Amino acid sequence: MRRETTRTALFVLSGALALTGAVMHAGYWAYAPYLLAAGSAGITVCYMAVPRAANFRLRRLHRMCVFAGTLMIAASVFMFMSRNEWVVFLLVAALLQLYASVAGRREE
């Protein structure tokens, strides 16, 4: 039980950091790439720490979330390089996470 609450707290904090970094980049804030990188790493760690599901569909959705976390890390790399492709990577990651969230609730 304690492990689950720790993972949830890390996920919420990481999501807040990633969102803050993405929004603050519009104001050319120097620390925005660091916030996005820290948030992306935390989200990816949370996805990788989830126990393996028995259902094939839930395992597929879990792999999609891990891939979305990797795309978020790629977005932070492009933000560090001052390239605009980070927006595309972040958008695709958000769409994958949204789909996995909706499809996962329907499966459970």
Side-chain angles (χ1 to χ4, degrees):
M1 183 72 169
R2 173 122 170 89
R3 177 180 246 179
E4 189 66 32
T5 57
T6 304
R7 187 182 309 136
T8 302
L10 178 64
F11 188 79
V12 169
L13 178 66
S14 298
L17 285 174
L19 181 65
T20 303
V23 170
M24 290 298 178
H25 185 71
Y28 300 105
W29 194 43
Y31 297 111
Y34 297 102
L35 290 176
L36 182 65
S40 300
I43 288 173
T44 306
V45 165
C46 286
Y47 281 142
M48 290 189 176
V50 173
R52 189 174 180 139
N55 188 353
F56 175 74
R57 185 171 181 177
L58 290 177
R59 284 196 314 250
R60 180 179 56 90
L61 292 173
H62 178 258
R63 283 192 301 264
M64 284 176 63
C65 286
V66 171
F67 183 65
T70 307
L71 286 176
M72 288 182 68
I73 292 173
S76 66
V77 169
F78 277 99
M79 188 185 276
F80 273 113
M81 295 177 4
S82 297
R83 300 190 51 183
N84 290 334
E85 287 88 356
W86 70 270
V87 177
V88 175
F89 283 102
L90 195 60
L91 178 66
V92 171
L95 290 175
L96 284 174
Q97 288 177 358
L98 179 66
Y99 172 76
S101 174
V102 171
R105 287 186 190 264
R106 196 171 354 142
E107 186 66 27
E108 292 176 350

